[in-house]
Amino acid sequence: MDENQPVIFGIRHLSPAGAWHLRKLLDEVMPQIVLIEGPGDFTEELPYLNNKLTKPPVAVMAYTNETPIHTILYPFAEYSPEYQAVLWAHENQREYRFIDLPSGVFLALSRAAGKEENVGEEGSVSVYRRLDELAGEDTHETFWERTMEHFSEGYGYWKGAKEFGKNLRELTEGTDSDYAETLVREAYMKRQIQEVISSGIQPEKIVIVTGAYHVEGLKSDTPGLSDEELKQLPFVEVQKTLMPYSYYRLSTRAGYGAGNKAPAYYNLLWKGFVRGEADYAARSYLSKLAFWQRRNGNMVSSAEVIEAVRLSFSLAELHGYRIPALRDLRDAAITCMGHGNFGEIAQAVADTEIGTAIGNLPQGVSRTSIQNDFYRLLEELNLKRYCSVTADDLHLDLREKLTVKSQKAAFLDMERSFFLHRLRVLGISFVNWQQVQQEKATWAEHWVLRWTPEAEIEIVEAQLKGDTVLQAASFQMKEEVEKGESIAAIAKIIEESFLCGMPDTVNYATGVLQKIAVEAGAVEEIAKTVHSLSVVIQYGTIRKISGEALLPVMEQLFLRACLLLPESCVCDDNASREIIQGIQLLNEAVLHHEFLSEERWLQVMTEIADRDDLNTKISGYAAAILLERGKITNAELEVKVERRLSKGIPADLGAGWFEGLSMKNRYALITRMSLWESLDRYLNTLDDQEFKRALLFLRRAFADFTAREKSDIAENLGELWQLNPQQVSEAVNTPLTREAQDMLEELEDFDFGDI
């Protein structure tokens, strides 16, 4: 250490050895102040790290006040040198602060460069790669671990990190795209150091913790940032918050300073230093692998674990080292536990190397108001345990619980549903709604919940929309209503508002819908709107929001659809798909709501089924609806079949009608032998060219039939043709040859003209 000079300790961010030896250095020097590389305005957040309830990994985040939001993250693991420096200063009642550029400057620079900022990423990837090759290592992680993380002697780490940073700087100086920013950062840090010295603190009573790359820069004779230069720095207004972080997130931010690929393993290295056991990480790694395998039903014997330990140390010795690195441990585990196959232990490796650890912050820490509301609701709704990196299922029953004592408990699942749906409409990735189709089971919901740091960032970004989850969701909904350009879009927002338990938003959107509904002209759009309103009304009183105001709107739209529908069926085959979908939605609405005129609906279906000037597929589908409702007798169906499937009808029109008819009540169709007799007679009247045209539509008609349904049809055809039904079934269900498939696909190019 140089006398009368600050002590500069170069580290690798997220380095267990660096954190341990730094603490030892601090014990020796007992500085008056500890200066740490990190955004200067984050200093005010650091005391929260000393809270006994704070559990790393955690991160400090700054974000811009206006969209598009830019963020800067500074994560801490338990083995982060910066985190341990803060803890040491607190334990020893010493001053500490961050001395790098403020986050507002970092974000202004990154915005100008068009990138997201990650503090601590320096150096050249190509230099790392060349260094790894010369050292005979597979990755820079392995090189760094072998040469630095196993250092038991403090000065060795200190000098090694210093030399590494010095040489790396010499090799990359001026070539790194961030080099200009690096010089500005170092000039700013020098200014901060000089201000501390000017305040009366002796230089030798200052310890500076910085990335090894910056040591030489801070020691150089170049001056610190001047007052004029400081004024010229770009700046944007920011907000700051603390947030839980995860080992998984650290693992995906691999790089020199931004993270490491095996955070759970690195935590084992840290524990080894704390316990004074150099081989603790090696033994624990292999033991944890074996434990995971056994817990998940994969047998690993004690002998295999012992052999893996021995092999890992032998592999380390082959490279000239005393302690195995992660590479050695993994190779030994593959050989002894995975029997040479990595796939056998892949999941165990992921769990042992990356882990599922998530940090924790106590109530009252520096958070935005919407974060506080989010975590308060997690506690209140008993959802805290779902804050896990492992996806977890949550099944809700929204019905009132009659066996509980309090009203809160009686409607707990309903309140949970409101909360989760509000997060969903805000785009918070913590929640994933599984829409399981259950007939009239509007009380049942299935969610998959999984917490990630990205979800936390999304919550913070939602602060721009409101101070609470409810306020932000309400703002989001009203904004979407104002942007809504169709009645279907507005109706969908009403549906979402019901799911979110937001009656004020329901009323607001309903008023807008009533104003624009009179101008609706497209049947497909009206049908989607009616469907959304139908879903809302089906909720009944289960969500404690009345849908009475929607009844006249829905009835008005339904009647309008009935008037427009017949003429809308004069369309080509492509447009018929949307019309049929609209008819399906309207038909479902009539089935669910008595206030919609079933008589009027069946009259419209009868008209469409009978008319010859409409798209024949739609006419066939309308006939299918009437058949399903019991409004067509066998005799009437035979008449329709004879009329639609006759020699005078073009092949594409006849087959198209049959395609529409077969889209519903397949069992009822299969059991009507007269239908297959008519289809058989019709096909026998077609010449080769007409048959090819019909084949395209018939192929579509039968495309979705199950193997069982095809077998039932085969029985009918076998009876008609006096063939063995089993042989016909096998022929029907046998996959097409490539040649036959190509011939059928060629039919798609037929130009059938307008229907």
Side-chain angles (χ1 to χ4, degrees):
M1 290 182 283
D2 298 329
E3 294 184 3
N4 302 319
Q5 293 293 326
V7 179
I8 305 178
F9 193 94
I11 51 94
R12 183 187 195 227
H13 304 285
L14 296 163
S15 166
W20 177 253
H21 295 309
L22 172 61
R23 287 197 66 115
K24 292 299 182 185
L25 175 80
L26 293 170
D27 286 337
E28 180 182 339
V29 176
M30 291 301 292
Q32 191 173 340
I33 187 171
V34 182
L35 303 180
I36 307 168
E37 178 195 324
D41 54 334
F42 280 3
T43 298
E44 60 196 60
E45 311 297 327
L46 296 181
Y48 294 109
L49 299 180
N50 296 309
N51 191 302
K52 293 181 179 179
L53 297 178
T54 296
K55 175 186 173 185
V58 295
V60 186
M61 183 177 79
Y63 59 97
T64 54
N65 288 332
E66 300 176 353
T67 55
I69 291 178
H70 290 253
T71 62
I72 180 173
L73 276 168
Y74 203 99
F76 300 97
E78 183 181 10
Y79 52 83
S80 295
E82 301 93 331
Y83 176 70
Q84 290 299 328
V86 170
L87 294 187
W88 184 93
H90 174 73
E91 293 163 5
N92 291 275
Q93 298 181 331
R94 304 301 165 123
E95 188 179 351
Y96 58 93
R97 69 179 70 162
F98 274 169
I99 58 170
D100 208 341
L101 293 170
S103 59
V105 176
F106 268 118
L107 287 170
L109 292 172
S110 66
R111 176 180 286 184
K115 65 178 182 179
E116 281 290 303
E117 187 63 46
N118 283 302
V119 177
E121 288 195 48
E122 313 99 352
S124 169
V125 174
S126 61
V127 172
Y128 287 150
R129 188 178 298 116
R130 181 59 179 154
L131 183 63
D132 300 338
E133 291 172 356
L134 292 174
E137 302 295 357
D138 55 342
T139 66
H140 184 65
E141 288 285 311
T142 303
F143 168 80
W144 180 270
E145 184 189 351
R146 288 200 195 280
T147 55
M148 300 300 296
E149 295 302 334
H150 294 165
F151 254 120
S152 59
E153 197 272 316
Y155 283 104
Y157 182 96
W158 186 13
K159 293 177 181 178
K162 177 184 175 182
E163 286 302 312
F164 178 84
K166 179 181 179 180
N167 289 314
L168 182 64
R169 191 181 184 96
E170 291 173 353
L171 290 170
T172 62
E173 197 166 18
T175 62
D176 197 323
S177 60
D178 292 333
Y179 189 68
E181 181 181 306
T182 296
L183 295 180
V184 174
R185 290 174 59 194
E186 291 173 350
Y188 184 86
M189 287 192 278
K190 284 185 177 181
R191 178 187 176 94
Q192 301 301 304
I193 297 166
Q194 190 57 52
E195 287 180 357
V196 171
I197 295 174
S198 299
S199 71
I201 297 178
Q202 296 299 314
E204 61 270 21
K205 287 298 181 180
I206 301 172
V207 169
I208 301 166
V209 183
T210 185
Y213 187 88
H214 295 297
V215 173
E216 292 300 315
L218 296 182
K219 290 176 63 177
S220 69
D221 295 331
T222 57
L225 215 61
S226 67
D227 292 344
E228 187 62 32
E229 290 170 331
L230 185 64
K231 292 178 183 178
Q232 294 177 5
L233 290 176
F235 182 81
V236 292
E237 292 293 333
V238 299
Q239 299 292 329
K240 296 182 290 296
T241 181
L242 281 168
M243 57 180 282
Y245 217 62
S246 70
Y247 275 176
Y248 175 77
R249 177 64 168 165
L250 286 175
S251 73
T252 61
R253 306 298 295 177
Y256 169 73
N260 48 261
K261 293 182 178 179
Y265 169 73
Y266 267 54
N267 195 58
L268 294 178
L269 289 173
W270 166 252
K271 289 181 178 179
F273 280 109
V274 173
R275 296 165 66 101
E277 300 175 18
D279 62 349
Y280 175 82
R283 290 185 288 104
S284 296
Y285 175 88
L286 294 170
S287 297
K288 286 179 176 291
L289 275 180
F291 176 76
W292 193 98
Q293 288 288 83
R294 291 168 179 170
R295 186 182 60 192
N296 289 274
N298 303 313
M299 180 52 64
V300 174
S301 68
S302 298
E304 288 174 325
V305 177
I306 294 171
E307 285 302 313
V309 172
R310 290 173 177 169
L311 178 58
S312 66
F313 277 84
S314 297
L315 291 172
E317 290 176 4
L318 288 174
H319 287 87
Y321 299 98
R322 186 172 61 87
I323 303 297
L326 180 58
R327 174 185 176 182
D328 304 321
L329 295 168
R330 184 189 282 192
D331 288 346
I334 293 171
T335 301
C336 299
M337 298 184 197
H339 310 103
N341 181 10
F342 175 71
E344 288 191 28
I345 62 169
Q347 289 182 289
V349 166
D351 183 78
T352 308
E353 294 183 9
I354 298 174
T356 58
I358 295 178
N360 181 69
L361 290 165
Q363 291 291 337
V365 300
S366 176
R367 283 175 173 156
T368 61
S369 57
I370 197 169
Q371 281 176 289
N372 285 329
D373 185 56
F374 172 79
Y375 285 104
R376 177 187 64 80
L377 288 168
L378 282 183
E379 293 282 357
E380 187 177 301
L381 300 173
N382 298 330
L383 295 173
K384 182 68 175 176
R385 72 180 184 88
Y386 292 95
C387 277
S388 167
V389 294
T390 303
D392 210 345
D393 291 290
L394 174 64
H395 294 275
L396 301 180
D397 184 339
L398 309 189
R399 296 172 293 188
E400 181 180 0
K401 311 297 187 296
L402 301 177
T403 58
V404 296
K405 296 180 179 180
S406 68
Q407 183 171 359
K408 177 183 177 182
F411 294 103
L412 176 63
D413 275 6
M414 184 179 70
E415 293 299 330
R416 284 174 163 180
S417 174
F418 289 159
F419 173 60
L420 297 177
H421 278 295
R422 290 166 190 170
L423 295 177
R424 180 178 58 81
V425 301
L426 287 172
I428 309 299
S429 55
F430 171 59
V431 301
N432 186 359
W433 185 28
Q434 306 294 303
Q435 291 180 286
V436 180
Q437 296 297 325
Q438 296 181 5
E439 186 67 22
K440 296 186 178 180
T442 56
W443 47 266
E445 287 187 350
H446 175 203
W447 295 83
V448 176
L449 307 182
R450 179 175 176 268
W451 188 92
T452 63
E454 285 76 14
E456 186 88 21
I457 295 172
E458 292 157 358
I459 294 168
V460 171
E461 291 177 347
Q463 176 74 39
L464 298 180
K465 300 173 183 177
D467 292 331
T468 66
V469 173
L470 175 59
Q471 289 177 4
S474 178
F475 179 89
Q476 174 81 15
M477 291 293 199
K478 290 183 178 179
E479 195 174 54
E480 290 182 10
V481 169
E482 292 170 1
K483 293 188 298 184
E485 298 179 352
S486 68
I487 58 171
I490 303 299
K492 190 64 180 176
I493 296 169
I494 293 174
E495 182 182 341
E496 296 280 27
S497 302
F498 259 83
L499 293 170
C500 292
M502 295 160 47
D504 291 342
T505 308
V506 170
N507 294 334
Y508 174 71
T510 300
V512 174
L513 179 63
Q514 288 173 325
K515 292 178 182 178
I516 66 174
V518 294
E519 301 176 1
V523 169
E524 309 94 289
E525 183 183 346
I526 294 174
K528 291 176 183 177
T529 305
V530 169
H531 173 72
S532 292
L533 299 182
S534 172
V535 170
V536 170
I537 295 170
Q538 286 179 66
Y539 292 145
T541 59
I542 198 164
R543 292 182 181 270
K544 305 302 178 186
I545 303 177
S546 174
E548 286 294 320
L550 301 176
L551 300 184
V553 182
M554 183 174 171
E555 187 172 20
Q556 172 191 347
L557 289 169
F558 172 74
L559 292 174
R560 186 169 179 80
C562 289
L563 291 171
L564 296 174
L565 188 55
E567 298 310 315
S568 298
C569 297
V570 181
C571 62
D572 61 20
D573 199 44
N574 289 329
S576 70
R577 299 188 186 118
E578 290 193 7
I579 297 295
I580 287 175
Q581 183 183 25
I583 291 175
Q584 179 185 359
L585 295 177
L586 291 167
N587 187 56
E588 290 176 1
V590 174
L591 289 171
H592 285 120
H593 304 288
E594 293 182 357
F595 68 90
L596 298 180
S597 174
E598 182 177 30
E599 182 180 358
R600 180 66 175 268
W601 176 246
L602 293 177
Q603 287 176 354
V604 174
M605 290 296 97
T606 300
E607 179 183 352
I608 294 173
D610 290 344
R611 283 177 57 172
D612 294 330
D613 59 333
L614 307 181
N615 182 286
T616 55
K617 186 198 292 188
I618 302 176
S619 294
Y621 188 74
I625 289 178
L626 294 172
L627 186 63
E628 184 179 57
R629 296 290 193 89
K631 301 301 179 181
I632 295 181
T633 65
N634 281 340
E636 290 171 331
L637 178 62
E638 288 182 22
V639 171
K640 288 184 179 297
V641 171
E642 290 294 338
R643 183 164 66 88
R644 295 288 185 175
L645 301 179
S646 63
K647 186 171 176 57
I649 301 298
D652 43 358
L653 299 183
W657 180 86
F658 185 83
E659 181 184 356
L661 181 69
S662 64
M663 294 175 75
K664 292 180 74 68
N665 2 284
R666 290 176 179 169
Y667 180 76
L669 295 177
I670 291 171
T671 58
R672 284 174 165 80
M673 195 65 183
S674 59
L675 174 66
W676 304 101
E677 291 173 347
S678 298
L679 180 61
D680 180 49
R681 286 196 299 270
Y682 171 67
L683 293 176
N684 285 328
T685 65
L686 302 178
D687 59 30
D688 289 346
Q689 192 68 8
E690 289 175 326
F691 179 77
K692 289 180 181 179
R693 292 163 67 88
L695 185 58
L696 175 61
F697 292 89
L698 291 174
R699 181 190 179 210
R700 292 175 186 170
F702 292 112
D704 295 330
F705 276 60
T706 66
R708 176 60 187 170
E709 289 169 338
K710 291 177 181 177
S711 294
D712 291 340
I713 295 171
E715 288 187 17
N716 292 340
L717 297 177
E719 185 176 340
L720 283 175
W721 300 335
Q722 296 182 343
L723 297 174
N724 185 321
Q726 181 64 34
Q727 292 177 330
V728 178
S729 177
E730 290 175 359
V732 168
N733 284 296
T734 298
L736 294 175
T737 63
R738 182 68 259 178
E739 182 181 2
Q741 184 71 28
D742 291 341
M743 291 176 61
L744 284 171
E745 288 176 356
E746 289 177 5
L747 294 177
E748 299 285 353
D749 298 329
F750 270 42
D751 181 12
F752 296 128
D754 292 332
I755 296 177

